[in-house]
Amino acid sequence: MHSFGYRANALVTFAVTILAIMCTMASFSDNFNSPSPTARVQVLSINRFQKQIHGNDEVTMTLNISMDLQSLFTWNTKQVFVFVAAEYETPKNSLNQISLWDGIIPSKENAKFSIHTSNKYRFIDQGSNLRGKEFNLTLHWHVMPKTGKMSADKIVMTGYRLPVDYR
Amino acid sequence: MDWIGEIPESLKSIKIRRILSQAISFGLIVTSALMIWKALMCWTGSESPVVVVLTGSMEPGFARGDILFLHMNKDPIRAGEIVVYNVEGRDIPIVHRVIKVHEARDTGEDYILTKGDNNDYDDIGLYAKDQLWLQRHHIMGKVIGFLPYVGYGTIIMTDLPIIKYILTGALVLLILTSKD
């Protein structure tokens, strides 16, 4: 009845239960945080705008990205993944989402910054619809908790119209 | 002089009853585990509702041994979401983030490109030969939550299969020899 096995079993079960309750509570406490992040993304210049040999348009650009995501961080936040996407419609596709830049913010201290960068991933259309195309710039973030439920949100910013001619 | 022959007979029946009840409790454990798994499958809509992270390609978000909870519904897949996908010719599903989406207007089909947060390049090199995009049928689910470290046992067991056999054997022995 009171063998070693039974006692070990009871101890492990109790420990796991407490741990599970604490994880659930930590995850639940994130609901009380109401963040108010701000961000600004500007296209500074279009560096190259060409049609590839396969017939798809490709554009490279320089961006200025500044943001303040400090309010997203709580005690249960491991990191915030943030990315800037260009979003637009074409006759063939009802939505095109292209990530232009992304980054991992490990702590609250690093969550307010401004950078100057060219697009990290290639901005290639499926087809050649980019001349004179207007696209939306959207800042998305995904909060990764130390444990529990992940959350995500976005800010849609002013768009940008690509030049009418290749360069 | 009949009672001498009766005693071993009754002992035998006790033994059979014990073996039977142990077999039933063993079966109960196996079937309830199966039921929980299948119920989770129905509830999340994913063929594999819980997966263990096997590589460090999503560091520092997900480390080896973290457990991920998956969900699959009819909602379209969007950039930024972390998906688990299968590629033909690969046994192990991959957990990576979506960085590009093209949604066809006529069919509604999503063409998706993924990348691991900790990798320098996107996943085109991981896909099947001549495959440029992932489509919906490759996706097993989207990651909605996670528990750290809990899956580390699985990693140890895949790295050292002998431990898996020892553990399974010990568990079966424990269940069979337990008295109540």
Side-chain angles (χ1 to χ4, degrees):
Chain A
M1 197 53 195
H2 296 286
S3 65
F4 174 76
Y6 275 98
R7 287 180 179 172
N9 187 13
L11 189 71
V12 171
T13 313
F14 186 64
V16 169
T17 314
I18 295 290
L19 208 62
I21 291 172
M22 280 172 67
C23 288
T24 316
M25 275 163 55
S27 179
F28 183 73
S29 71
D30 282 342
N31 293 333
F32 298 112
N33 186 37
S34 46
S36 53
T38 56
R40 209 164 75 101
V41 178
Q42 262 184 312
V43 179
L44 297 180
S45 61
I46 300 295
N47 305 327
R48 248 179 63 108
F49 188 15
Q50 293 284 322
K51 190 178 197 161
Q52 295 180 314
I53 31 172
H54 314 292
N56 293 332
D57 280 356
E58 173 166 12
V59 57
T60 59
M61 55 179 75
T62 307
L63 298 160
N64 186 42
I65 303 165
S66 58
M67 66 186 85
D68 178 0
L69 302 181
Q70 287 175 324
S71 59
L72 292 174
F73 282 81
T74 68
W75 68 314
N76 188 32
T77 307
K78 183 196 267 181
Q79 64 165 39
V80 171
F81 180 88
V82 59
F83 69 100
V84 175
E87 299 178 350
Y88 60 97
E89 274 185 44
T90 54
K92 187 182 150 210
N93 293 332
S94 53
L95 176 74
N96 300 277
Q97 273 187 317
I98 304 209
S99 180
L100 299 179
W101 171 87
D102 62 16
I104 294 169
I105 306 174
S107 67
K108 192 169 188 164
E109 290 72 46
N110 302 320
K112 189 177 179 181
F113 61 92
S114 173
I115 60 159
H116 201 79
T117 176
S118 60
N119 53 315
K120 186 172 163 184
Y121 304 115
R122 297 175 77 179
F123 188 163
I124 304 172
D125 185 39
Q126 271 193 334
S128 59
N129 312 294
L130 288 185
R131 276 168 299 174
K133 173 63 76 184
E134 186 165 357
F135 62 85
N136 271 332
L137 283 163
T138 316
L139 184 94
H140 296 255
W141 61 87
H142 286 247
V143 180
M144 276 198 196
K146 291 210 167 78
T147 182
K149 202 172 159 295
M150 303 197 295
S151 64
D153 208 347
K154 63 179 177 183
I155 305 178
V156 180
M157 281 163 298
T158 46
Y160 184 83
R161 185 181 290 278
L162 286 166
V164 184
D165 297 309
Y166 294 127
R167 59 174 77 166
Chain B
M1 279 304 194
D2 273 353
W3 58 275
I4 295 173
E6 272 169 25
I7 295 165
E9 202 55 42
S10 62
L11 266 178
K12 222 187 201 171
S13 81
I14 288 171
K15 228 179 183 174
I16 287 171
R17 279 184 194 186
R18 241 188 77 187
I19 289 168
L20 275 177
S21 86
Q22 271 164 358
I24 287 172
S25 64
F26 184 67
L28 265 176
I29 291 170
V30 172
T31 44
S32 51
L34 196 70
M35 270 166 68
I36 292 172
W37 183 252
K38 291 284 172 188
L40 268 176
M41 269 173 83
C42 285
W43 185 48
T44 60
S46 173
E47 56 188 296
S48 166
V50 179
V51 295
V52 175
V53 180
L54 294 174
T55 68
S57 63
M58 286 296 279
E59 294 264 18
F62 300 145
R64 262 165 71 89
D66 289 352
I67 274 193
L68 305 179
F69 297 96
L70 305 188
H71 187 75
M72 195 65 190
N73 51 18
K74 290 225 158 57
D75 292 350
I77 292 148
R78 289 290 174 256
E81 291 173 337
I82 301 168
V83 295
V84 179
Y85 65 88
N86 267 315
V87 172
E88 283 153 52
R90 272 177 193 272
D91 314 327
I92 301 166
I94 301 173
V95 185
H96 278 177
R97 193 185 295 275
V98 176
I99 61 166
K100 289 182 188 179
V101 175
H102 295 284
E103 187 167 272
R105 195 180 287 278
D106 44 356
T107 57
E109 182 66 67
D110 287 321
Y111 294 86
I112 297 157
L113 180 67
T114 53
K115 176 183 169 286
D117 288 358
N118 197 27
N119 291 354
D120 290 332
Y121 300 105
D122 60 41
D123 290 352
I124 288 184
L126 298 176
Y127 299 163
K129 199 170 174 290
D130 297 328
Q131 182 184 358
L132 293 178
W133 306 100
L134 289 181
Q135 280 162 271
R136 208 179 172 83
H137 63 266
H138 297 112
I139 310 282
M140 286 165 64
K142 303 175 193 173
V143 179
I144 52 161
F146 92 112
L147 267 178
Y149 313 122
V150 182
Y152 219 89
T154 315
I155 289 198
I156 295 171
M157 282 191 256
T158 14
D159 289 354
L160 301 163
I162 186 87
I163 290 179
K164 182 162 63 184
Y165 302 130
I166 292 173
L167 260 180
T168 330
L171 268 178
V172 170
L173 266 178
L174 250 177
I175 291 164
L176 288 182
T177 55
S178 68
K179 292 197 175 66
D180 34 25

